[in-house]
Every structure is written in C-alpha cells, then in structure tokens.
Amino acid sequence: MAMRVNSDHPHYYTLTSAMTLSAGEAELLFLVLLLLTFLLTLLGNLLIIFTVLSCSRLHTPMYFFLCNLSILDIVFTSVISPKVLANLGSGDKTISFAGCIIQCYFYFSLGTVEFLLLTVMSYDRYAAICSPLRYTAIMRPPVCIETVVFSWMGGFLSVLFPTILISQLPFCSSNIISHFFCDGGPLLALAYADTTAIELMNFMLSSMVILCCVVLVAYSSTYIMLTIVRIPSASGRKKALNTCASHLTIVIISSGITVCIFVTPSQKEYLEINKIPSVMSSVMIPFLNPFIYTLRNDAMQGVLRDMWVRV
C-alpha cells in the first residue's frame, strides 16, 4: 500500500493510500480475508473475556492478565483493521493528518503495552510454578492491579514524546507512503527534515523495551523449565508445561516480529521488508492469541465445554 501526504491546505493534511495490487480481485480478496480475521479476532477475544468474567474458577491472577491481553488485542486490531477495511470498501483511501498521527501513536503504544503485559504474565507463571506456596501472597490483587496499570501507563507514556516530535516535522516532499497504515518508518520517510534523532530515539526505546522483556521472560522461563523437570508426576509436568508453552509461543512470535520491524537503526531503509511483519503484528497476533491460549489450556477448555453443555 502506498500513502500520500497532501498539503494543499496549510492547516490540514491528508494521507492517501493506494494498494499496489495487480487486479481488483486481489484487493477484494484481501478485503474479505481481513474482514474475516478482524471478526474472528473480536469473537475470540470477547469469548475469553466473557468466559473469565462468568466463571468464578477463573478469577485468578493468570486469567486477570489474560483478560487484559484480550482487551489489548481488541483495541490493537481496531486501531488498524477498520480503517483499512473502510478504505478498501469505499475506494477512498484517505486519512487526516491528525488521524494518521493518532493511529501511529496507538499502534506503537499498544505494542509496548503488549510486551509489558507478556512480561508480567511470565512473572505470574514463574511465581505459580516456582513458588506455589507463596503464590497467593506474591500475586495479591493489589499487586496484579498495579502491574497492569503500570503496563498500560508505561506503554502510552513511553511513545508519547517521539510521536509529538513526529507530528511537528514538516511534510513537504512526496506524499506517498508505501504502507497500508500510518507506521512510523514510512511516515518519517515523508518528512522534509533530518529525522536521525527521532529514528535513534525510536531505536533506543524499542531496543530497551524488547531487550528487557525478553531477558526477564527468558530468565523466568528457564527457572520454570528447571522446576517442571523436578515435578514428580507426569500429569503435573504436562499441566505446568501446557500452561507455559502457550505463553512462551506468543512471546517468541511477538519478539521475533517486533525485532524485525523496530530494532533497526533506520526504519526508513527497510520499508518494503517491514510490510509483512507489520501485518503480522497488527492483525495476525491479535487473531492467534485467543486460539493459542485456549487450545493448550485445560481449565479454559473445561469451562468452555461446560458452557457449551449448558447451552
């Protein structure tokens, strides 16, 4: 997708996007696939939220964090998908400059919130498996709420200043961005100014968040695996492993995709390469999260079966 900045009016900018597809049928196919993915993402995550809220057995820290992750996935995919669907359906591929900056801000801030939440969830699993007798004392309700608030506030505040700097740049050159939404790299490529400082800031922030999260998750996962190996019963080992495997799968996928997109000194040099990882991070990960967390979760499957029988 290509995006264009139009500065005909001194106080108003628009971004026009044009799909670089060979035929209208391909664009229609993309519309149908994106719509189905978006609807299934909403359905899957809403199902998780409803299931956790309606079943007292799932009123534990683990599922409290999972609910927050589902809320995050709903908001995350809603930042990108509805606008792309509207563009494809109407043929009017425009967005105001303010809308573009807001979309860019929420994309980066919600991505940061996701990493912080995944790190908190890793610590929760570490406490549950490695210190089961002290788990309720460690993961008290106030602690759970504070860590979730920190994750959301940390994500939104950490990218606020770079987004403000981007919004102040002069966009006076070509108004075409080769992307399907307002990503940071393609937007910086439009700026008629030196963006080295902003790119370096983005690189440092992304590297710091991802590196800290990956290190903490790797540390907790190592101790979890060592503890699981020492569990005497095979059923106990399987249950603990299934609980952690789904979380570790999401962390590996999210980290790998995010490293490909953001942990580069200059995002403007990798615009074409980053298109597919951007689709994965904004569309596919929110779509996959509900399935990965429920397919390997015995408690969630049991509750869903009971709900299905009652229906």
Side-chain angles (χ1 to χ4, degrees):
M1 179 175 281
M3 311 191 75
R4 202 163 36 243
V5 175
N6 185 341
S7 56
D8 294 337
H9 194 284
H11 301 293
Y12 184 78
Y13 298 86
T14 62
L15 292 176
T16 304
S17 59
M19 292 291 295
T20 56
L21 298 174
S22 57
E25 289 79 4
E27 188 168 326
L28 179 60
L29 176 62
F30 180 66
L31 171 64
V32 172
L33 291 176
L34 182 61
L35 179 60
L36 288 175
T37 303
F38 177 61
L39 294 177
L40 288 174
T41 299
L42 294 181
L43 179 63
N45 284 289
L46 287 173
L47 179 62
I48 286 180
I49 295 171
F50 174 76
T51 303
V52 172
L53 292 178
S54 62
C55 181
S56 58
R57 281 187 293 165
L58 301 181
H59 292 176
T60 63
M62 173 182 173
Y63 295 102
F64 172 69
F65 296 132
L66 184 57
C67 266
N68 273 271
L69 185 64
S70 292
I71 294 171
L72 173 67
D73 286 336
I74 290 172
V75 179
F76 199 0
T77 192
S78 298
V79 168
I80 305 297
S81 296
K83 183 59 181 176
V84 177
L85 290 170
N87 288 345
L88 293 172
S90 65
D92 178 20
K93 302 178 177 67
T94 62
I95 185 171
S96 68
F97 180 75
C100 182
I101 293 297
I102 291 172
Q103 189 182 65
C104 180
Y105 170 68
F106 276 100
Y107 174 72
F108 283 103
S109 60
L110 292 172
T112 306
V113 173
E114 181 175 23
F115 267 96
L116 296 176
L117 270 179
L118 289 174
T119 305
V120 171
M121 294 172 72
S122 294
Y123 179 73
D124 171 69
R125 292 300 83 207
Y126 166 79
I129 294 175
C130 298
S131 302
L133 299 179
R134 298 176 56 238
Y135 177 67
T136 54
I138 295 173
M139 302 305 295
R140 303 185 309 277
V143 174
C144 296
I145 294 172
E146 288 169 5
T147 53
V148 166
V149 170
F150 169 79
S151 298
W152 284 92
M153 294 298 294
F156 280 101
L157 293 177
S158 63
V159 300
L160 181 60
F161 184 61
T163 306
I164 292 174
L165 292 180
I166 292 175
S167 68
Q168 301 301 313
L169 291 172
F171 294 94
C172 304
S173 57
S174 171
N175 57 357
I176 295 180
I177 301 177
S178 182
H179 219 309
F180 69 99
F181 72 100
C182 296
D183 198 357
L187 196 56
L188 288 175
L190 287 182
Y192 194 67
D194 184 11
T195 61
T196 304
I198 298 178
E199 290 184 76
L200 183 60
M201 184 185 302
N202 288 338
F203 171 72
M204 295 298 293
L205 285 172
S206 301
S207 300
M208 182 176 64
V209 170
I210 296 171
L211 183 62
C212 290
C213 292
V214 168
V215 168
L216 290 174
V217 170
Y219 176 83
S220 62
S221 299
T222 300
Y223 274 87
I224 287 172
M225 292 303 173
L226 293 175
T227 304
I228 289 176
V229 170
R230 293 197 293 267
I231 295 176
S233 66
S235 61
R237 287 195 300 270
K238 181 182 178 182
K239 181 179 179 181
L241 189 60
N242 284 344
T243 302
C244 298
S246 56
H247 179 71
L248 195 58
T249 301
I250 291 297
V251 171
I252 292 173
I253 295 174
S254 300
S255 301
I257 292 173
T258 307
V259 167
C260 292
I261 300 174
F262 302 119
V263 186
T264 55
S266 177
Q267 294 181 29
K268 295 190 295 186
E269 297 179 5
Y270 302 95
L271 298 183
E272 295 298 322
I273 299 176
N274 287 343
K275 286 182 183 179
I276 295 177
S278 294
V279 174
M280 294 290 292
S281 67
S282 60
V283 177
M284 293 309 299
I285 289 181
F287 168 72
L288 292 173
N289 277 350
F291 298 99
I292 293 176
Y293 274 107
T294 55
L295 288 177
R296 298 185 64 89
N297 190 306
D298 295 334
M300 184 69 75
Q301 289 182 19
V303 171
L304 289 174
R305 281 195 297 267
D306 293 342
M307 292 174 61
W308 178 259
V309 170
R310 286 200 298 268
V311 172

